[in-house]
Structures are given as structure tokens and as C-alpha cells.
Amino acid sequence: MLLFLIIFQTLFPANIAKIPLDEILKDVSLLCLGSLGDLTLSYDAGLAAGYLLKQQGYNAYVVGALDTLSKDDKDPLNRVNISAFITAHVYSLFARGLATAGVIPIFDGTILDKEVVVSLNTRDATYPIVVDSEVKKTLLNELGYKGSVFLNDEIGKYVDSIKLSWKITNVDVEGIRKKLLKNSIVKLSDEKKIHVNEPFIESGLLVFSDDQEILRFAKDILDGYENALGRRPW
């Protein structure tokens, strides 16, 4: 972990955050957002994450990767959905929430799924993309991406030039977090078993947190007192 932080800090200035979403909003991963029954809540996730990042002195957040979920992913919780359409939709809403909170959204172009890029274009969600090679800059240009594209060593100057001065107050971060975690619970079968952060299971309930309140809510679903609102992301 220390080596990762050292490498990261040499790539990005200190005011640009690139950390997993679930380390900002506890237990709320990108896959959690991709499982939401109400995808518009992704905006609230961006708002809450942006609020916390702004409090910590960050001016920008690297969102990503621009890739879809697949069963061979080493880190499936850091992917949104198997659908490029839904992935782009979630990213566009999440990015808008970040911007509302005064944090510049930057998409991580280390991995590029062409369909995700095209879907972002169609939504005019053309926030900056940071890439690790000129080849990827060229590819994005060929795909007609309308936003700015920067190499790792260029993005800092861009952020410094357009820092968002505003910040928001009175964000109910914990309320948003719980709403996201409850709305993303996926019922895969009638088996009365709760699975926490186990992508690609085929039975029981998939939940993204072992918080007692979330587990109680999941049990109420199994007992028929509540409905599972989430949607299978694969």
C-alpha cells in the first residue's frame, strides 16, 4: 500500500484524489452504484463524495475506470456494470454530483472501453480524461471524444487553472450512504442467504455492506417485509 501511495503521489498532485469510492463513502463501491434500482441516486453519491473530498482539501477526483464489468476482473467492485450504457449513465450522474460539490470530475482512461466512451459522448458527459500514453490520446480523438484529454503529468496544471471555488454545506452523507446501500440490494433467488460483496453469485441476496442496519434490512427482504430494489449488474 505504501509503495502504491508513493507511486500515485508522483503521478498526481496532492489536490487530485484517486482512491476507491468505498474508501470515501464507506462500503459504497462503483459496483454498488451499478446495482442501484434507482440509478439517479448516483448523483447523490457524487454529491456526498465530493462534499467529503472538498472538506479534505481535494480539488479533483479521478473516477474510473472507463471499462465495463466482466467476470475476469481482478477488482469487480471497482467496475459499475456489464452494460456500457449503464456504466456511462452512472458516471455522468456521479460526475455531475462531484461538480455540484465543487470537485472537478476526471475520468480514468488507463483502460478504455470504446462503447463507454461513445456513451459518455452521447450524454455530453465529456469531463476530462487522464491517460497514460499518447496512443490512448489518439484513440480518444479517433472516437470523437468531445472533452479534454491529458497525460498523467499534464492534469495537474489543468486542475490548477480551473479550480472550482464553491463548496456545499449540510450534506447528509450518512443518510445518502444508507439509501445507496439499501437501494442496491439485489435479489437473485428465493434462497434465504445474504452475500456481502460477492459479485457473480447466482442465489440469495447480494448486499454491499455488513453494517447491522443494512443486514437487518436485508433480513426484512428475506422475510417479505421489504422489497429488494437493486438490479443485477452482470
Side-chain angles (χ1 to χ4, degrees):
M1 177 60 75
L2 178 60
L3 178 61
F4 169 80
L5 289 174
I6 292 172
I7 293 172
F8 170 74
Q9 288 167 357
T10 63
L11 294 177
F12 294 102
N15 63 344
I16 301 177
K18 186 184 180 185
I19 52 179
L21 177 59
D22 57 9
E23 293 183 19
I24 304 170
L25 288 175
K26 183 176 179 290
D27 298 330
V28 178
S29 60
L30 289 178
L31 190 62
C32 171
L33 299 187
S35 304
L36 288 168
D38 180 3
L39 292 175
T40 63
L41 292 175
S42 299
Y43 171 85
D44 296 338
L47 192 73
Y51 171 76
L52 293 174
L53 288 167
K54 196 78 170 182
Q55 282 190 325
Q56 295 169 27
Y58 290 107
N59 296 311
Y61 178 61
V62 181
V63 184
L66 294 181
D67 190 23
T68 52
L69 176 69
S70 61
K71 289 194 174 183
D72 61 354
D73 281 323
K74 294 180 180 179
D75 185 14
L77 294 178
N78 198 37
R79 296 292 186 273
V80 174
N81 197 285
I82 195 172
S83 162
F85 177 88
I86 291 177
T87 297
H89 187 50
V90 166
Y91 279 157
S92 64
L93 291 167
F94 182 81
R96 195 185 310 161
L98 285 173
T100 301
V103 173
I104 301 165
I106 301 169
F107 292 135
D108 183 356
T110 305
I111 302 174
L112 293 173
D113 183 300
K114 294 180 182 179
E115 291 185 13
V116 174
V117 173
V118 171
S119 292
L120 288 172
N121 249 350
T122 60
R123 287 171 174 74
D124 289 326
T126 49
Y127 297 97
I129 294 179
V130 61
V131 296
D132 55 5
S133 71
E134 290 286 353
V135 172
K136 289 174 184 171
K137 286 185 75 171
T138 301
L139 174 60
L140 286 164
N141 183 58
E142 291 172 350
L143 290 172
Y145 188 69
K146 301 171 187 175
S148 301
V149 182
F150 300 94
L151 292 172
N152 288 333
D153 60 359
E154 299 171 335
I155 194 67
K157 291 181 180 179
Y158 170 78
V159 171
D160 285 339
S161 69
I162 64 158
K163 286 179 182 177
L164 305 181
S165 59
W166 63 85
K167 61 175 64 176
I168 55 175
T169 57
N170 301 322
V171 175
D172 182 6
V173 172
E174 186 61 12
I176 290 172
R177 190 183 79 88
K178 289 178 180 177
K179 191 172 185 178
L180 292 165
L181 291 169
K182 290 179 179 179
N183 193 263
S184 59
I185 295 176
V186 181
K187 184 176 182 179
L188 297 155
S189 77
D190 290 329
E191 180 189 27
K192 293 189 178 297
K193 186 173 182 180
I194 298 170
H195 302 269
V196 180
N197 283 328
E198 294 183 42
F200 309 117
I201 59 165
E202 295 297 334
S203 61
L205 280 185
L206 171 65
V207 303
F208 292 95
S209 174
D210 59 3
D211 279 5
Q212 288 305 305
E213 180 177 341
I214 303 304
L215 293 178
R216 284 195 298 270
F217 187 81
K219 187 175 185 305
D220 284 343
I221 292 173
L222 292 179
D223 292 339
Y225 298 116
E226 298 285 353
N227 294 319
L229 301 175
R231 293 182 284 190
R232 180 196 296 250
W234 60 85

